[in-house]
């Protein structure tokens, strides 16, 4: 039997806090990718050579915008107390993190994106009953 999605009144505080942390992480990623990609901070965060960062700056800005949409979706769901919306955007983050880790060969992405999103979703599903 599928686990029912919690109603807004059932969104546990831990799930709200964890989802908010995921949104904040993605806002930070937006800033890194859109504004700091071609700076020493961006180079260090993503392990980029300066020439590669300069050549891929436009792509990074687009990527950063998508991370901002993920953060906005989570925030929108939280503000509305809309558990299904929060779960949807957390699932998007988790899937993006798994794909990012697989496609880049970097396990770091699993810990920065996938694990926090999965923890927030689990808290929402397990504690929301």
């Amino acid at each position: 039997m599928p686990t029912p999605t919690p109603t807004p009144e059932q969104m546990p505080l831990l799930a709200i806090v964890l989802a908010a942390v995921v949104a904040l992480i993605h806002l930070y990623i937006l800033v890194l990718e859109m504004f700091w990609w071609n700076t020493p901070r961006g180079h260090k965060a993503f392990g980029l050579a300066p020439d590669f960062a300069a050549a891929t700056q436009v792509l990074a800005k687009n990527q950063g915008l998508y991370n901002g949409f993920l953060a906005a979706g989570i925030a929108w769901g939280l503000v509305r107390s809309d558990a299904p919306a929060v779960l949807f955007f957390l699932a998007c983050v988790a899937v993006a993190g798994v794909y990012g880790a697989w496609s880049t060969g970097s396990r770091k992405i699993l810990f920065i994106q996938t694990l926090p999103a999965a923890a927030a979703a689990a808290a929402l599903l397990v504690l929301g009953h």
Side-chain angles (χ1 to χ4, degrees), residues 1-2 4 16 19 27 32 61 65 67 73-74 77 79-80 82 92 94 98 100-101 107-108 111 114-115 121 129:
M1 171 183 266
I16 293 168
L27 284 177
L32 278 171
K61 288 178 187 277
L65 188 60
N67 278 298
I74 294 168
V79 167
R80 291 175 33 103
D82 185 342
C92 289
V98 169
R107 290 187 182 173
K108 179 180 170 184
F111 296 102
T114 307
L115 186 61
H129 299 288

Side-chain angles (χ1 to χ4, degrees), residues 31-48:
V31 171
L32 278 171
E33 291 175 340
M34 291 190 79
F35 306 110
W36 295 342
W37 184 261
N38 200 19
T39 69
R41 181 179 238 166
H43 300 166
K44 182 179 178 187
F46 296 105
L48 303 173

Side-chain angles (χ1 to χ4, degrees), residues 5-104:
T5 303
T7 61
E9 309 82 50
Q10 296 172 319
M11 283 182 62
L13 181 60
L14 178 61
I16 293 168
V17 169
L18 290 174
V21 167
V22 173
L24 290 172
I25 289 168
H26 281 75
L27 284 177
Y28 181 65
I29 294 171
L30 173 147
V31 171
L32 278 171
E33 291 175 340
M34 291 190 79
F35 306 110
W36 295 342
W37 184 261
N38 200 19
T39 69
R41 181 179 238 166
H43 300 166
K44 182 179 178 187
F46 296 105
L48 303 173
D51 57 335
F52 178 81
T56 58
Q57 190 169 318
V58 172
L59 295 172
K61 288 178 187 277
N62 188 55
Q63 201 170 273
L65 188 60
Y66 280 93
N67 278 298
F69 290 143
L70 291 172
I74 294 168
W76 173 72
L78 289 172
V79 167
R80 291 175 33 103
S81 294
D82 185 342
V86 173
L87 281 172
F88 172 78
F89 285 101
L90 289 171
C92 289
V93 168
V95 169
V98 169
Y99 179 77
W102 173 78
S103 66
T104 65

